[in-house]
Amino acid sequence: ELFWRGALLFRGAKILVAGAPKIGKSNFFLALSIAAAKGDKFLGHKFSKPLKVLWLQAEIHKSFLKERIKRLTPLLQPAERKLLRPNLVMSGRLRKNFMNNDHMDEIFQSVKYFQPDLIGIDPIINFSLEDENNNPAISILLEDRVSALMKASDCAVIVLHHTKKDVNPKDPSQSIRGASAFRG
């Protein structure tokens, strides 16, 4: 099922959004999530339908999330607000380790209950105690744990991650911090 921009976002898609710390990755994902939850346009392209979005995030305190939403939604009509409430679920500053089976069981319960079309994980490295340069561990994190969440709800996943301070303009993918599994 295609959600946005043809084959860019669809059931089973796993997308990495990487950028420098404090550049606005979370705001970008929140704006995308609001548009997705309403079935609205984002970056000039309309979502195929209103999506259920689950944003697992580990950096922003819940009270600051409310302020960010207010800044991004000041002109929402009542019907749009009705769509947003059930379709966009955000965690507070979540402290879960995807490599811990008990923590994963808790996350799976939330995913199974909410049945999202899209899961955002922000930033991925805060959901693991592994060294982000350890390629085998990061492969397990991304290919086993994140993929398992995606399969549990038959959804798309957007993983947010940081880049290094030095960005290579000739090959920006080399600027993604950590193991090569992130770039893979």
Side-chain angles (χ1 to χ4, degrees):
E1 182 178 4
L2 304 177
F3 294 142
W4 184 68
R5 293 199 67 181
L8 182 65
L9 188 61
F10 55 93
R11 286 196 192 282
K14 191 180 336 172
I15 297 171
L16 175 70
V17 173
K22 305 297 177 208
I23 200 167
K25 294 178 298 298
S26 297
N27 278 336
F28 175 83
F29 184 76
L30 180 56
L32 179 143
S33 297
I34 290 168
K38 296 185 317 174
D40 208 351
K41 280 187 175 182
F42 182 71
L43 299 178
H45 298 272
K46 189 166 175 39
F47 280 88
S48 61
K49 65 178 187 176
L51 303 180
K52 291 178 104 179
V53 181
L54 176 61
W55 183 20
L56 305 173
Q57 65 85 27
E59 291 186 328
I60 307 165
H61 191 277
K62 192 93 171 180
S63 61
F64 295 120
L65 283 175
K66 291 177 184 177
E67 289 305 314
R68 287 186 184 199
I69 290 174
K70 283 180 188 176
R71 282 195 307 250
L72 290 171
T73 60
L75 303 176
L76 284 187
Q77 300 300 314
E80 293 174 306
R81 287 191 191 283
K82 269 189 169 177
L83 275 175
L84 199 57
R85 282 190 188 103
N87 285 345
L88 178 56
V89 172
M90 303 174 289
S91 72
R93 196 181 290 166
L94 197 58
R95 297 288 179 245
K96 299 294 179 190
N97 178 358
F98 284 5
M99 303 302 265
N100 176 304
N101 289 335
D102 291 336
H103 289 193
M104 278 302 285
D105 287 345
E106 291 174 31
I107 299 293
F108 273 120
Q109 292 305 317
S110 296
V111 168
K112 286 179 182 176
Y113 176 78
F114 186 61
Q115 288 295 302
D117 299 304
L118 173 62
I119 298 173
I121 304 170
D122 179 18
I124 184 63
I125 204 59
N126 286 20
F127 290 90
S128 172
L129 299 176
E130 303 293 331
D131 176 357
E132 72 179 15
N133 294 303
N134 180 334
N135 212 43
I138 297 303
S139 291
I140 291 169
L141 175 65
L142 295 174
E143 295 307 319
D144 293 351
R145 301 305 177 121
V146 171
S147 292
L149 285 177
M150 182 175 65
K151 289 174 188 165
S153 182
D154 188 27
C155 66
V157 173
I158 296 179
V159 172
L160 287 85
H161 188 52
H162 298 289
T163 58
K164 301 173 192 172
K165 291 180 182 179
D166 308 341
V167 175
N168 180 347
K170 292 183 180 177
D171 188 0
S173 71
Q174 294 304 312
S175 302
I176 297 169
R177 207 169 75 183
S180 63
F182 285 115
R183 292 178 285 288

